[in-house]
Amino acid sequence: MRILSPLALCLLLAAGPALAGSDFCDGGGDGPIEPELPGAPGGGSGLASAKAGTDPRTSSCEVDMVMSLSAAERGIEYWRMRDLPFTAENWAVLKRSKQWPELPMEFKQISLTPVEEQTAKAGAAAARPAPPIGVPLSGGQSTFLEWSFVPADNKSEISRVLALTVFATDSGPILRADWMIPPHRNWSYADKPATLPSVIESQSAALTDETRASTLTVTLLHDVDHVRVGIGQPVQRWLSFALPSGEWQPLRLRNGLLLGTPLAEGMGLKVNWPSLWAGQLNQDVGDGGGDARAPTGPRAD
């Protein structure tokens, strides 16, 4: 496959709707999830059979947003939005997780600085302790997740959105959580909207912890009348945002390159969702709502 020009890459991104897949997960990850026995705490159903070690439907859930021309050639679209509508079917899958109602997410790769810039600065970084995963010295940012919430009646245009953004800095990656009021319930950065949301509150936390873990873990939690983002595993700090009431419910979880620095080969994010089952989550619009529209590619401002 020949190297694509920036213009060709933009056109490739614009083709996202036609090529978008239907599953929240890319598959892969760190291997199968151990099945819960029927009657176990958390409501395990035992649906993951004893063949969990070999059954691809019970493998862990990975979302690969790292730009790779070779991967695109194999049909792995790094720009694709992974939409998880909170339908009855998806709720059933989520509730079989041992971690429910927590949704832990592990960063496997954060590369937001062009490769040549990383190489040029490698000498200056030699005396600095290495972070747990390969984090560039400085440079880009990427908004990679949106989690939207609506009133329980699921009919109003009123909603709230949690957006997560990673910044690459000299001291390691920084996570910023924005709690926002969007113009309408199905609003998303990925749709390149003319009207932007109103940010109610922003909180930030460093993701680097060189002494504790080989991966960087962020945990999502809908805790009755709050939406929380946990940093570390076990969680060392919660970033908390208040919903208007305890009657609000999640509408859609979107994971993809939504907004940020334009990417070159080898740049992007790779995350693993250890509590989600690949092959069992979908974008179908069911009784839980959710917008199955295939979005366009990432937006760079």
Side-chain angles (χ1 to χ4, degrees):
M1 181 176 180
R2 66 184 179 86
I3 300 300
L4 300 179
S5 68
L7 176 60
L9 285 174
C10 290
L11 295 175
L12 189 63
L13 293 177
L19 298 173
S22 61
D23 199 305
F24 182 79
C25 307
D26 294 344
D30 288 334
I33 297 174
E34 293 297 326
E36 282 192 82
L37 297 176
S45 65
L47 292 182
S49 70
K51 296 189 296 183
T54 57
D55 188 346
R57 292 174 301 174
T58 60
S59 64
S60 59
C61 176
E62 181 182 85
V63 172
D64 189 345
M65 299 170 280
V66 178
M67 178 181 171
S68 170
L69 298 180
S70 60
E73 192 172 30
R74 298 194 303 272
I76 303 173
E77 305 96 358
Y78 71 93
W79 63 85
R80 176 170 66 87
M81 290 300 114
R82 286 79 171 179
D83 276 340
L84 176 58
F86 280 74
T87 62
E89 295 79 9
N90 284 335
W91 271 111
V93 174
L94 295 172
K95 290 178 180 178
R96 290 202 297 269
S97 164
K98 293 180 181 179
Q99 291 92 343
W100 180 260
E102 294 184 353
L103 287 173
M105 175 184 63
E106 300 172 346
F107 283 98
K108 311 304 291 185
Q109 183 176 345
I110 299 176
S111 300
L112 296 176
T113 298
V115 175
E116 60 270 17
E117 186 175 342
Q118 297 179 43
T119 303
K121 294 183 178 181
R128 191 184 62 169
I133 61 176
V135 179
L137 296 180
S138 64
Q141 61 178 295
S142 179
T143 301
F144 67 95
L145 183 142
E146 291 171 347
W147 198 12
S148 57
F149 293 80
V150 294
D153 62 20
N154 203 15
K155 298 177 181 178
S156 172
E157 282 293 306
I158 300 172
S159 62
R160 297 288 186 273
V161 173
L162 172 73
L164 298 186
T165 301
V166 168
F167 295 83
T169 71
D170 288 344
S171 57
I174 301 294
L175 179 75
R176 188 186 73 208
D178 294 323
W179 187 234
M180 309 182 299
I181 302 176
H184 54 82
R185 58 181 280 146
N186 285 319
W187 175 94
S188 174
Y189 278 126
D191 296 328
K192 301 184 179 181
T195 305
L196 295 179
S198 172
V199 178
I200 304 173
E201 184 180 0
S202 294
Q203 299 182 40
S204 299
L207 292 178
T208 303
D209 188 352
E210 296 137 1
T211 64
R212 293 181 59 86
S214 59
T215 58
L216 304 176
T217 301
V218 171
T219 299
L220 304 181
L221 173 63
H222 173 212
D223 185 13
V224 187
D225 55 358
H226 282 76
V227 176
R228 307 186 194 276
V229 181
I231 310 299
Q233 183 65 298
V235 174
Q236 303 297 307
R237 177 186 175 191
W238 288 102
L239 311 179
S240 299
F241 305 95
L243 285 163
S245 78
E247 301 299 318
W248 282 51
Q249 298 294 327
L251 175 71
R252 179 181 69 184
L253 180 64
R254 170 166 278 194
N255 196 185
L257 297 170
L258 294 150
L259 176 73
T261 305
L263 303 182
E265 175 83 5
M267 294 176 64
L269 306 169
K270 183 183 293 186
V271 300
N272 185 41
W273 295 84
S275 68
L276 303 187
W277 298 2
Q280 298 188 19
L281 299 166
N282 57 67
Q283 293 187 33
D284 296 336
V285 178
D287 56 345
D291 184 3
R293 295 176 301 161
T296 58
R299 172 185 174 187
D301 285 347

